[in-house]
Amino acid sequence: MEPESGASTSRNPSTLSWVNLSRNLILAYQSFGVVYGDLSTSPLYVFTSTFKGKLQDHHDEETIFGTFSLIFWTLTLIPLLKYVFILLSADDNGEGGTFALYSLLCRHAKFNLLPNQQAADEELSSYKYGPSSQATASSPLKRFLEKHKRLRIALLVVVLFGACMVVGDGVLTPAISVLASVSGLKVTEKKLTDDELVLLACVILVGLFALQHCGTHKVAFMFAPIVIIWLVSIFSVGIYNIIHWNPQIVRAISPYYIIKFFSTTGKEGWVSLGGILLCITGTEAMFADLGHFTALSIRLAFAFVIYPCLVVQYMGQAAFLSKNLSSVDNSFYDSIPDPVFWPVFVIATLAAIVGSQAVITATFSIIKQCHALGCFPRVKVVHTSKHIYGQIYIPEINWILMILTLAITIGFQDTTIIGNAYGLACMTVMFVTTFLMTLVAIFVWQKSVLTAIAFLVFFWVIEGVYLSAAFIKVPQGGWVPLVLSFIFMAVMYVWHYGTRRKYSYDLHNKVSLKWLLGLGPSLGIVRVPGIGLIYTELATGIPSIFSHFVTNLPAFHKVLVFVCVKSVPVPYVSPEERFLIGRVCPRPYRMYRCIVRYGYKDIQRDDGDFENHLIQSIAEFIQMEAVEPQFSSSEASSSLDGRMAVISSRNLENASSLIVSEHEDTSVDISVPSSRSVTLRSLQSVYDDESPLVRRRRVRFQLPEIPGMNPDVREELLDLIQAKDAGVAYIMGHSYVKARKSSSFLKKLVIDIGYSFLRKNCRGPSVALNIPHISLIEVGMIYYV
């Protein structure tokens, strides 16, 4: 028996490994169009940016050999060693990027600054990822960081600064890539002027941003072949140039030429590093776009295709330049043999557009993640792909990026100056990533502090040298990403500060449960038929808008549900774990709480099924409470707010709480109970006529005949069904946030002008949460923070 079982198990892994490999090869092919467009178009401008400026007096063969040696070792140490072999292992449930690293840290140590987190969030299946954090519980470094709030704030600022630099990349990448690709027209017979080239680049850029609303997926099948043809082209041209011009360039792989380069060029060589670092721009995309692919697929694509093609191309360009020193200003296009010039020019322009597309999409993702952290105003997020979950489009950000990109293209008109800005932005992101990776190695991977510091020092020395060279060029265009980052950081700080102050006000002014219990089940007012969904940012307690509503209106709905939509520090929350249901008061009050949880990469979709799912979840909770003692026992205690249960959609499919019947809602429902006024019904019919797309299937709930059901449970379920049939109203606070009169001038400036401006000009919460306008009730409140 043993040999047979051994044989069968030996066959299965080989089959599985072959399926796994073929899947990864397909993903590796797809990754060319999404991940590597930016990195693979760097040869267009690296040598030109390096030799313009300080190295003009060193146009000789030895300097060119040294430059290639620097490019080779930079490509080997940072993209290959740091990103491919180390960083791709530090994923957060398959997600990569600075936010993934920060999220991992927040879950393994108490670094999180999101205010409405609960112990229940730690029970999410995607929360416990990686080794258990028990071993590091006694770490003095961990306790030190958790104890000082300012250090946690500083960590968030570092993450946001890195995010702002990525947004800077989203502005600079299209500008430099497209401008560099069309610069090939300078060497043709017509020799277009700089102004004509800039105009052509602007036309291409406007077209690129105008097509963003279509979504990457509609042209994605074209992207990978374009980049592969581009890679084959630059590889072939590189081989030709090495053989034809100077085969001795192969020797420049030796680090000896780097030492010779700096001994000859001195300070000028150090300053020129600001151009050499452009050979690794776009490397961050390998890590940031990990969620669409797998670590193995990205490793295969880079190690076996991208890396060899880029090395051969840079080697070929250096071989050409060593014998044609006068071609430094337009080295890439001059090095292309005449018969293939036009095909390479066309494919270079297309590859530049592909590279720009990937960075623009990444910028949308960064903005979405900043919003999930409570650090960016609400914006419209459009999900553009049915197949690739993370592909989104944000109209407001798209047009802001377009205006900024056109301004930079028209303002600078020179790839070298834009390259100075671009290099600084990219190297800053890498610097931040190295720092976060060090913390992940200590707190998540539980490596020794010495190992982590060795990693930090090794890569910070390399990146620090490049970063210092990039900072030297701040006056020559390097100021652009710093200014852009400052503006975006100011927006993020103002929004984050205002949001936290508003949440703090809600927290300190929430309604006392004793006051609510003192009102009795009727709340001291008339309870009208229907369900009232009261939206609040509080995960516990009764919000102040509720008491504001109760004291100003003489009626309230028979069933009340406090709904809190919040973000948790995981990339995705599965639909089965999205809803947390609990009871706020004893059973006669008919008051519940529902917490809807989303990850930082989740997209809130309007599937039209939220109300029905909520009703089913509450019904399931009511029955669960009657059966499971840990919920029913809470009714006797005074602390009724806090006992919550995860109600999964998987349970609902098998649940016998309610019978669900559906029919298409093709006409105005005549059977609406008389509690709704004639005016409201006529408004509903007008609304349905004007919004045919909103008319969805109508779901009816019925109570099944279950022998031995608790009479109290049956009564409560019947009340829930009747309330649903009577209609659902959404109640939200329409808040005005103002600084107190005693506040400092700076606080008044931030709250009364900055935060107020952002709130007025961002999407309203009701629109962001897909709340139907016809059912919305807004309660006006002024917050003095």
Side-chain angles (χ1 to χ4, degrees):
M1 289 297 289
E2 284 182 13
E4 284 179 21
S5 63
S8 64
T9 51
S10 66
R11 279 197 303 271
N12 287 337
S14 63
T15 311
L16 287 171
S17 63
W18 171 247
V19 170
N20 189 39
L21 181 63
S22 59
R23 176 174 167 268
N24 278 291
L25 287 172
I26 292 166
L27 286 172
Y29 166 77
Q30 292 172 345
S31 73
F32 289 116
V34 178
V35 178
Y36 296 113
D38 188 11
L39 188 63
S40 64
T41 51
S42 298
L44 287 167
Y45 44 78
V46 170
F47 278 103
T48 304
S49 298
T50 303
F51 280 94
K52 267 192 179 178
K54 296 285 184 182
L55 280 186
Q56 283 182 347
D57 300 331
H58 297 280
H59 288 187
D60 54 66
E61 189 172 310
E62 277 196 353
T63 309
I64 286 162
F65 273 46
T67 303
F68 167 69
S69 191
L70 273 167
I71 290 170
F72 172 78
W73 284 105
T74 305
L75 276 170
T76 304
L77 291 175
I78 295 180
L80 190 64
L81 179 61
K82 177 186 159 185
Y83 278 87
V84 170
F85 287 113
I86 300 172
L87 228 67
L88 286 179
S89 303
D91 64 310
D92 178 13
N93 293 282
E95 292 299 324
T98 50
F99 275 98
L101 295 177
Y102 180 67
S103 174
L104 275 175
L105 289 171
C106 287
R107 302 210 303 273
H108 285 80
K110 294 174 184 174
F111 297 155
N112 201 1
L113 288 169
L114 285 173
N116 54 2
Q117 298 305 294
Q118 303 165 279
D121 298 338
E122 297 180 17
E123 294 168 12
L124 288 166
S125 57
S126 56
Y127 200 93
K128 297 294 181 191
Y129 188 74
S132 169
S133 57
Q134 291 175 356
T136 54
S138 58
S139 163
L141 178 62
K142 183 182 174 186
R143 286 203 305 272
F144 179 74
L145 289 170
E146 288 177 346
K147 186 180 176 184
H148 294 83
K149 189 180 178 183
R150 287 185 179 180
L151 291 174
R152 288 184 283 138
I153 292 170
L155 180 64
L156 178 62
V157 168
V158 167
V159 171
L160 293 178
F161 182 63
C164 289
M165 282 294 183
V166 175
V167 175
D169 278 356
V171 173
L172 296 163
T173 301
I176 192 171
S177 300
V178 173
L179 201 55
S181 64
V182 299
S183 67
L185 294 172
K186 280 184 183 179
V187 298
T188 59
E189 295 82 4
K190 292 184 180 178
K191 290 198 174 178
L192 295 182
T193 63
D194 286 346
D195 290 342
E196 288 169 333
L197 284 174
V198 169
L199 180 63
L200 177 61
C202 287
V203 170
I204 292 171
L205 286 168
V206 169
L208 173 67
F209 283 101
L211 286 170
Q212 289 301 314
H213 72 279
C214 297
T216 309
H217 69 287
K218 292 199 175 174
V219 283
F221 71 95
M222 289 172 58
F223 283 10
I226 286 170
V227 176
I228 288 169
I229 293 166
W230 165 250
L231 289 166
V232 169
S233 304
I234 62 174
F235 182 81
S236 307
V237 170
I239 291 283
Y240 169 81
N241 284 334
I242 293 166
I243 296 167
H244 185 263
W245 292 108
N246 192 353
Q248 301 297 319
I249 188 68
V250 178
R251 294 180 182 176
I253 288 174
S254 168
Y256 164 74
Y257 285 90
I258 296 175
I259 299 164
K260 210 169 178 182
F261 173 83
F262 284 116
S263 62
T264 308
T265 57
K267 187 184 175 184
E268 287 87 355
W270 169 59
V271 173
S272 73
L273 290 175
I276 288 169
L277 68 84
L278 294 176
C279 72
I280 52 171
T281 53
T283 300
E284 191 71 26
M286 281 198 291
F287 186 43
D289 290 333
L290 182 60
H292 301 319
F293 307 100
T294 60
L296 179 59
S297 65
I298 290 177
R299 284 179 173 131
L300 288 170
F302 184 82
F304 292 102
V305 182
I306 301 292
Y307 180 73
C309 287
L310 288 178
V311 168
V312 168
Q313 166 56 29
Y314 285 120
M315 192 184 284
Q317 230 179 114
F320 170 79
L321 285 176
S322 66
K323 302 298 181 186
N324 299 273
L325 298 170
S326 60
S327 294
V328 162
D329 286 347
N330 205 8
S331 61
F332 177 78
Y333 282 112
D334 282 350
S335 70
I336 296 171
D338 289 338
V340 294
F341 174 83
W342 283 109
V344 172
F345 170 76
V346 170
I347 202 71
T349 307
L350 291 171
I353 291 168
V354 170
S356 304
Q357 169 71 41
V359 177
I360 294 165
T361 308
T363 306
F364 294 154
S365 296
I366 286 285
I367 296 293
K368 164 78 179 64
Q369 289 168 17
C370 287
H371 170 62
L373 279 176
C375 295
F376 203 84
R378 287 178 295 270
V379 285
K380 182 179 182 180
V381 177
V382 180
H383 193 248
T384 59
S385 173
K386 291 179 182 177
H387 308 293
I388 302 176
Y389 191 77
Q391 287 187 1
I392 58 174
Y393 166 65
I394 303 176
E396 301 96 325
I397 301 300
N398 185 55
W399 303 125
I400 289 169
L401 288 181
M402 187 184 82
I403 291 163
L404 291 172
T405 303
L406 291 174
I408 284 165
T409 308
I410 295 164
F412 291 136
Q413 302 189 5
D414 184 1
T415 53
T416 305
I417 298 174
I418 300 172
N420 294 339
Y422 189 30
L424 179 62
C426 290
M427 197 46 70
T428 306
V429 175
M430 289 182 183
F431 207 70
V432 168
T433 304
T434 302
F435 171 67
L436 292 174
M437 183 63 225
T438 306
L439 294 178
V440 167
I442 296 169
F443 297 122
V444 182
W445 289 359
Q446 297 173 13
K447 302 291 181 187
S448 70
V449 176
L450 287 175
T451 308
I453 288 174
F455 168 84
L456 181 73
V457 170
F458 180 75
F459 285 106
W460 260 15
V461 166
I462 299 168
E463 291 164 359
V465 172
Y466 278 114
L467 197 59
S468 63
F471 268 109
I472 291 292
K473 296 188 176 182
V474 165
Q476 292 89 40
W479 55 269
V480 172
L482 295 175
V483 169
L484 287 174
S485 294
F486 175 78
I487 292 167
F488 276 98
M489 281 289 283
V491 169
M492 289 178 180
Y493 170 76
V494 167
W495 184 262
H496 186 66
Y497 180 76
T499 305
R500 282 184 69 84
R501 298 305 303 171
K502 182 176 174 291
Y503 183 85
S504 180
Y505 178 94
D506 271 335
L507 205 60
H508 290 105
N509 291 277
K510 60 185 182 183
V511 178
S512 160
L513 203 60
K514 283 184 180 178
W515 174 80
L516 201 60
L517 293 169
L519 292 175
S522 70
L523 302 181
I525 52 176
V526 177
R527 297 292 290 270
V528 298
I531 296 177
L533 302 183
I534 304 163
Y535 278 79
T536 170
E537 291 176 6
L538 295 175
T540 56
I542 314 285
S544 51
I545 66 157
F546 179 72
S547 62
H548 197 65
F549 198 104
V550 168
T551 48
N552 285 282
L553 282 172
F556 224 111
H557 298 87
K558 195 167 186 180
V559 173
L560 295 175
V561 185
F562 294 95
V563 181
C564 171
V565 180
K566 70 171 191 176
S567 291
V568 286
V570 294
Y572 300 103
V573 176
S574 66
E576 288 79 25
E577 298 177 299
R578 197 172 302 288
F579 284 83
L580 261 180
I581 303 289
R583 193 185 289 282
V584 175
C585 286
R587 181 174 281 141
Y589 286 71
R590 305 293 190 252
M591 293 171 73
Y592 312 94
R593 183 181 306 285
C594 170
I595 295 174
V596 190
R597 300 178 291 186
Y598 288 96
Y600 59 82
K601 295 206 79 173
D602 268 323
I603 294 159
Q604 298 176 28
R605 301 186 190 181
D606 181 16
D607 56 5
D609 211 30
F610 174 74
E611 289 178 14
N612 302 324
H613 198 100
L614 181 63
I615 301 306
Q616 284 180 287
S617 299
I618 293 171
E620 181 67 18
F621 172 78
I622 291 166
Q623 285 207 317
M624 185 195 292
E625 186 189 49
V627 175
E628 299 187 20
Q630 67 262 36
F631 294 108
S632 57
S633 63
S634 68
E635 195 158 332
S637 71
S638 58
S639 173
L640 289 157
D641 190 17
R643 296 271 184 177
M644 305 201 74
V646 176
I647 306 295
S648 76
S649 54
R650 198 173 293 160
N651 288 352
L652 293 176
E653 289 170 12
N654 305 320
S656 57
S657 318
L658 302 175
I659 297 170
V660 182
S661 59
E662 304 176 10
H663 66 272
E664 287 295 321
D665 190 15
T666 52
S667 61
V668 182
D669 188 10
I670 304 165
S671 65
V672 176
S674 57
S675 61
R676 276 192 179 179
S677 67
V678 177
T679 314
L680 187 59
R681 272 187 276 172
S682 64
L683 277 172
Q684 179 71 51
S685 65
V686 171
Y687 179 71
D688 285 344
D689 290 339
E690 290 180 355
S691 313
L693 295 175
V694 181
R695 292 159 68 192
R696 299 188 180 91
R697 59 194 178 89
R698 179 68 60 86
V699 174
R700 294 283 186 206
F701 294 105
Q702 292 175 318
L703 196 61
E705 289 296 328
I706 302 174
M709 181 185 276
N710 186 314
D712 291 338
V713 171
R714 174 175 288 279
E715 186 187 349
E716 189 171 5
L717 289 172
L718 282 171
D719 282 350
L720 187 66
I721 293 168
Q722 287 167 7
K724 171 67 173 74
D725 289 342
V728 178
Y730 297 79
I731 298 141
M732 296 195 79
H734 188 81
S735 53
Y736 299 88
V737 183
K738 294 184 178 179
R740 291 195 189 98
K741 288 181 180 178
S742 58
S743 301
S744 65
F745 171 75
L746 184 62
K747 186 176 178 182
K748 286 180 179 176
L749 183 71
V750 168
I751 296 293
D752 293 348
I753 296 174
Y755 186 67
S756 178
F757 174 80
L758 291 173
R759 276 181 67 84
K760 284 176 186 173
N761 290 281
C762 73
R763 297 190 98 203
S766 59
V767 180
L769 294 167
N770 304 311
I771 292 172
H773 189 68
I774 194 80
S775 309
L776 178 64
I777 302 168
E778 290 192 300
V779 183
M781 278 194 71
I782 298 176
Y783 287 71
Y784 287 102
V785 297

